[in-house]
Amino acid sequence: MMQSSKPLAAVQASGHVNIRGVITSLAGKSLVVRTREGGDATVILNDDCLINSVTPASVKDIKPGDFVGISNVPKADGVSSALEVVIFPAALKGTGEGDRPWDLRPNSSMTNATVANAVTSVDGRTVMVTYRGGQKKIDIPETTPIVTLEVAAPKDLRAGTNVFIAADHANDGTLTTHRVIYGSNGVVPPM
């Protein structure tokens, strides 16, 4: 079970926890992850669990009409700054659409939305995204990790692989998931 009590205590009320770390073992549907906080988390893969990999991309790969997930933080000028960008495949358009608090960094949010337009300007790279009930302008600094999400299979999960898992936390402490995202070829999922 998750050994880092402070993050888990904060999550118990919501029933959700994001797990970032490295796979230490996989036996059947039980995945053990050494978390970035240093504890171990055992996560049970649901029968319908989807496995996705992330591979490197660039800002040139972001096109109007694409569906993206961008974790971001607000800036003083009212525009947000991207911490990472995930370009979803067309089949996953609409997944988690919206703008909500995120735990990547303090005061961060996750915006899953459709790219309205992409702009490269003298002052930096900016994208306008739209989602049900809103829109947001987000700068993408040069150092921002940008990845694409691709379909993979459970057989691709191996010890030593970096993962991101959005898990459900049951009252009995059990962690389960419907999706595991792993980094292929040494890529660390930036979300």
Side-chain angles (χ1 to χ4, degrees), residues 80-161:
S80 292
S81 181
L83 301 172
E84 58 85 16
V85 178
V86 176
I87 305 168
F88 286 87
L92 293 177
K93 186 169 186 163
T95 302
E97 183 176 11
D99 184 58
R100 62 196 160 283
W102 195 242
D103 65 345
L104 188 58
R105 289 202 189 148
N107 205 30
S108 65
S109 61
M110 175 59 76
T111 307
N112 286 8
T114 300
V115 176
N117 61 20
V119 179
T120 302
S121 68
V122 175
D123 296 328
R125 305 171 310 174
T126 304
V127 65
M128 176 65 79
V129 294
T130 60
Y131 50 90
R132 260 181 269 128
Q135 65 180 19
K136 197 174 211 181
K137 185 185 264 189
I138 304 173
D139 286 337
I140 305 173
E142 293 285 336
T143 57
T144 302
I146 301 172
V147 296
T148 58
L149 195 63
E150 299 178 3
V151 176
K155 67 177 179 54
D156 299 322
L157 299 176
R158 295 180 178 86
T161 303

